Amino acid sequence: MNLLKPEEVSAKLGITKAALPALRRRESSFPAPIRVSQKVLRWDEADIENWLNAKKESTDGESDRIR
C-alpha cells in the first residue's frame, strides 16, 4: 500500500491542494482518506487510481449525477 499526501493526490488529479476538500464534498464516490493521526490524512494510491479509472470509463465523467 502506497499512501499519498494531500499534495500528491492533488498533483495526480491536476488540482490545487485547496480544491481537494471541495472535490471530496462534491464527489460522493471519491475515496475516503485514511486517518493516520488526528490531523494527518493519507489516501491509498490504488483507491485513487481505481476512482480515476471509473471516472474515465463513465461516458460523460459524471456517472454519479442524474440528468
Side-chain angles (χ1 to χ4, degrees):
M1 177 185 304
N2 187 29
L3 297 179
L4 301 176
K5 297 176 183 178
E7 304 82 38
E8 296 168 318
V9 173
S10 300
K12 186 175 279 287
L13 299 176
I15 62 174
T16 65
K17 182 181 170 189
L20 188 57
L23 176 68
R24 290 179 58 204
R25 285 189 300 272
R26 187 176 66 247
E27 295 286 338
S28 61
S29 63
F30 192 75
I34 298 166
R35 189 170 293 279
V36 176
S37 70
Q38 186 175 356
K39 294 183 179 183
V40 177
L41 300 177
R42 298 291 185 262
W43 282 264
D44 184 347
E45 185 173 27
D47 290 345
I48 298 297
E49 291 290 336
N50 291 337
W51 182 79
L52 282 172
N53 287 332
K55 284 296 202 184
K56 189 167 124 178
E57 291 172 5
S58 71
T59 57
D60 60 358
E62 298 180 301
S63 59
D64 295 342
R65 292 187 182 181
I66 299 172
R67 292 187 182 251

